[in-house]
Amino acid sequence: MSELFQFNDPSLESQWRALILFGKNSATYKFAFGQALLNLIEKETTTVSLNQIAPLYVESILEHLKTNDKQGNSSSSVFLNACRDFNRDIINYDQLINLTIKHGFNNVVDAFQNVNGGSVPNRFYEKDYSGASKNIVITDHLLRLKESIQFKNLENEVQARWNLVETAWNLDLNPNLLEVKIDHDLNTLFLENDFMRRKDITSSRASLNGYQKGKCFYSFQDISIVSGSDNLCAVDHFFPHMHKVSLNENGANVNGIWNLVLADKLVNLDKSAKVPDIKYLERLYKRNEFYIASRHPLGETIINQTGKSAPARRAFLQKQYDLALNLSIHRWKPIIELEPLF
């Protein structure tokens, strides 16, 4: 599925997102390493030793451990135990950095750029461990990410993915019970069920944005998820919220993740309560399948809401579309529509 994600869009942003959004979720090291790389872009560094990158790498892990202790599937980790010991004032910062250099990069440097058994076409760095110092050599491909209008969204997307993965781990929920919900007023995702109080997870915009490649779902114009920006996107119901009662009676929750997309704010105003043209239904199906294929906690929620198999999920969407058309005469298309990327 990551190949399909990049099929019409081999851009550097798409390759970066494939690394963050797809692949194994055996540990959160890749998110910390990805965030460190984004910080290096800001510094425009071309060669960095493990000694230099270690503080950037470990900083975010220390913060995440304060709220979610489980950061991987392994029963024991020398590196994570060192981070825990530092947070408890058992070791000092120099000891932490030394242990990070010795144990913290063992797998992540080699594995980060791989997805589905192979490396991304345009590697973002090369490993140089030939000399006395172990170095990461930053390529132009990584530095060029800063030139993209999407660059400002990437760090939020890394954090959103990280928050969702660790929340699912630390709650130790059966995937069949995983039901992520949205708070439209706060623009946040949260977990809540019969045996657990509400737990806020992360920004809804940041969680949805990467799987849409930072584009408006309908027009494929660039959007922003950064609060205060001029083109801050809207969270839109593909099937209008005004159809809630009718669709809910037929087993569909219009507030479900499966029905939420990000749209340019002007496009969203134009769409209003209209039903999109049938061609956008296939796009919604693909977007939802991206979540499921990436072993994402939201993917489990989408499976629970729409069906256990791909044919069942297609049939579910088609049924909702047919019902929605009975409630709305007009089919809608955006005035501006760029070349679709999925």
Side-chain angles (χ1 to χ4, degrees), residues 262-295:
L262 299 182
D264 175 89
K265 59 184 179 182
L266 296 180
V267 170
N268 187 57
L269 284 172
D270 183 55
K271 175 181 177 284
S272 186
K274 305 180 188 75
V275 176
D277 187 81
I278 186 67
K279 75 174 186 177
Y280 300 104
L281 192 67
E282 177 65 15
R283 188 176 297 171
L284 181 64
Y285 169 78
K286 287 181 180 178
R287 195 290 309 266
N288 287 345
E289 292 300 303
F290 287 153
Y291 280 112
I292 293 167
S294 68
R295 304 170 187 173

Side-chain angles (χ1 to χ4, degrees), residues 214-230:
K215 308 292 184 181
C216 169
F217 180 84
Y218 304 104
S219 70
F220 275 94
Q221 299 175 90
D222 283 301
I223 55 176
S224 173
I225 58 174
V226 179
S227 297
S229 60
D230 292 337

Side-chain angles (χ1 to χ4, degrees), residues 44-73:
E44 298 186 351
T45 304
T46 54
T47 300
V48 59
S49 68
L50 295 190
N51 301 57
Q52 293 170 313
I53 199 174
L56 298 174
Y57 176 59
V58 78
E59 178 182 3
S60 52
I61 292 178
L62 292 172
E63 287 303 310
H64 276 259
L65 279 171
K66 291 176 182 177
T67 54
N68 288 294
D69 185 72
K70 191 171 183 180
Q71 295 293 324
N73 287 331

Side-chain angles (χ1 to χ4, degrees), residues 13-52:
E13 300 100 305
S14 185
Q15 292 179 57
W16 173 269
R17 285 182 166 124
L19 297 177
I20 299 300
L21 302 178
F22 293 87
K24 296 180 179 179
N25 286 328
S26 57
T28 60
Y29 303 151
K30 75 173 182 180
F31 305 127
F33 193 68
Q35 186 156 338
L37 291 174
L38 292 175
N39 287 331
L40 290 175
I41 296 174
E42 293 279 17
K43 300 177 184 296
E44 298 186 351
T45 304
T46 54
T47 300
V48 59
S49 68
L50 295 190
N51 301 57
Q52 293 170 313

Side-chain angles (χ1 to χ4, degrees), residues 115 201 335:
V115 61
I201 308 171
I335 298 171

Side-chain angles (χ1 to χ4, degrees), residues 23-31 64-65 67-74 80 84 161-175 178 191 199 201 295-297:
K24 296 180 179 179
N25 286 328
S26 57
T28 60
Y29 303 151
K30 75 173 182 180
F31 305 127
H64 276 259
L65 279 171
T67 54
N68 288 294
D69 185 72
K70 191 171 183 180
Q71 295 293 324
N73 287 331
S74 175
L80 287 179
R84 294 182 182 107
R161 170 75 188 217
W162 190 346
N163 290 339
L164 280 157
V165 168
E166 70 182 2
T167 298
W169 277 342
N170 281 272
L171 292 175
D172 196 24
L173 287 175
N174 183 318
L178 191 59
L191 280 168
K199 180 176 177 61
I201 308 171
R295 304 170 187 173
H296 193 293

